Amino acid sequence: MYKVLTIAGSDSGGGAGIQADLKTFQELDVFGMSAITAVTAQNTLGVQGVYPMSVEAVTQQIQSIGTDMGADAIKTGMLFSAEIIRAVAAGIEQFGWKHVVVDPVMIAKGGASLLQQEAVEALKEELLPLATVVTPNIPEAEVLTKMKIETMADRQRAAKRLHSMGVTYVVIKGGHDVLDEATDLLYDGTSFFYYTSPKIATKNTHGTGCTFAAAIAAQLAKGQSVQEAVQVAKAFIQAAITDELQIGAGHGPTNHWAYQKSLKQVLR
Ligand SMILES: Nc1ncnc2c1ncn2[C@@H]1O[C@H](COP(=O)(O)OP(=O)(O)O)[C@@H](O)[C@H]1O
Ligand SMILES: Cc1ncc(COP(=O)(O)OP(=O)(O)O)c(N)n1
């Protein structure tokens, strides 16, 4: 049984954060574990409250996993503060964890801040050098690289800049594209790879980034290459957005059952 640890925030609405990660792990047949960095009060209309955990609580959760259960891959999401980022980086180094997927969560779709501004430098300096893969969306890539990203050429330049910060693989996600296609760009330090799907017109995309990064971590834990893992993650999120749920009055969650359901239909 492959084991994956998510270090992220809790989303009471169940669409993003720890909840999205654990659902994704379950659907991709890996054993999910969690270290919670913050509790958020959230629904499809937005974020009503953010309650960070103490550094001690985050550290202890990581110690509890690392000293007993171990992990074949790690996924980080909302980390909130520089102190929590340092504690997470220390844990990853202490246990020598490989296959580290860093989703540099900064701002929720509704605009609420999930990472303090002063923590961006800590994320770049302490966590990115430990990351196998970093998965920013376009606004996050702009903050990390301090450059404006409009064209695919800009995206390629940003990917190179992120790679130079010590990450092995960079994925700049295309959900914020204003085109009718969503193209995720993968850079391995030498070549670019493109993962393109039709852009689905829906407001129910809450938690897409978390789900996508969690799927990459699950597949890495099972021994897939980063290219293969991104391909599965793209198919997983495409199914989850296409086979819509209608929950809540705002930006609803994606459907974590959809990928398994689509595989069963193919087998039938
Ligand atoms: N409307 C959409 N149609 C198809 N794919 C989408 C859509 N929105 C997001 N995605 C995909 O979901 C994943 C997460 O992308 P993105 O929305 O950019 O991240 P985030 O949730 O971090 O802002 C990517 O694989 C992206 O291509
Ligand atoms: C607790 C928590 N973590 C992360 C996010 C952001 O998730 P993301 O997948 O980027 O989805 P949107 O917020 O963009 O819908 C979150 N909202 N809450």
Side-chain angles (χ1 to χ4, degrees):
M1 175 53 76
Y2 297 104
K3 294 158 286 172
V4 186
L5 168 64
T6 170
I7 306 173
S10 163
D11 168 9
S12 55
I18 290 279
Q19 288 80 358
D21 297 345
L22 292 176
K23 290 175 193 180
T24 305
F25 296 159
Q26 185 77 13
E27 290 298 306
L28 289 172
D29 299 324
V30 296
F31 184 79
M33 303 167 293
S34 63
I36 297 181
T37 56
V39 171
T40 70
Q42 232 181 121
N43 56 24
T44 69
L45 301 173
V47 178
Q48 291 82 39
V50 173
Y51 310 94
M53 302 292 288
S54 67
V55 172
E56 186 193 352
V58 175
T59 300
Q60 187 55 63
Q61 292 173 81
I62 294 171
Q63 292 297 318
S64 296
I65 303 301
T67 54
D68 177 36
M69 302 169 83
D72 299 299
I74 309 294
K75 182 245 160 182
T76 71
M78 173 187 179
L79 296 177
F80 188 70
S81 68
E83 302 83 73
I84 293 179
I85 289 170
R86 284 190 206 103
V88 170
I92 292 171
E93 283 192 302
Q94 180 187 345
F95 295 108
W97 280 323
K98 307 289 174 229
H99 303 317
V100 177
V101 180
V102 173
D103 184 18
V105 172
M106 292 182 188
I107 294 173
K109 279 206 175 66
S113 175
L114 304 178
L115 181 74
Q116 292 177 332
Q117 232 165 359
E118 58 273 24
V120 172
E121 286 311 306
L123 198 143
K124 283 161 70 171
E125 284 164 22
E126 315 266 341
L127 202 55
L128 291 194
L130 302 177
T132 314
V133 191
V134 65
T135 62
N137 60 26
I138 291 171
E140 289 159 355
E142 289 185 329
V143 171
L144 292 169
T145 60
K146 298 191 174 131
M147 61 177 274
K148 187 88 196 123
I149 302 175
E150 281 163 349
T151 63
M152 189 52 81
D154 293 339
R155 223 182 283 184
Q156 291 174 341
R157 270 194 296 280
K160 285 186 176 174
R161 209 173 275 189
L162 285 163
H163 187 266
S164 74
M165 295 175 193
V167 196
T168 317
Y169 292 86
V170 177
V171 180
I172 301 186
K173 299 172 292 191
H176 294 245
D177 268 344
V178 283
L179 311 167
D180 51 10
E181 285 182 336
T183 297
D184 301 339
L185 171 73
L186 168 65
Y187 181 59
D188 66 0
T190 311
S191 307
F192 293 103
F193 304 85
Y194 302 87
Y195 301 83
T196 299
S197 66
K199 186 125 195 247
I200 301 152
T202 175
K203 61 182 174 46
N204 298 325
T205 55
H206 176 54
T208 49
C210 302
T211 301
F212 176 76
I216 297 175
Q219 296 306 107
L220 293 181
K222 292 189 247 176
Q224 283 195 339
S225 68
V226 171
Q227 282 92 337
E228 289 167 330
V230 173
Q231 193 159 349
V232 171
K234 181 71 177 162
F236 190 98
I237 195 63
Q238 189 69 13
I241 301 171
T242 307
D243 193 350
E244 265 185 286
L245 303 170
Q246 290 295 347
I247 297 177
H251 289 287
T254 68
N255 180 353
H256 291 90
W257 293 283
Y259 179 71
Q260 283 278 5
K261 205 166 101 186
S262 69
L263 292 184
K264 284 180 195 142
Q265 275 158 4
V266 169
L267 289 175
R268 219 178 269 150

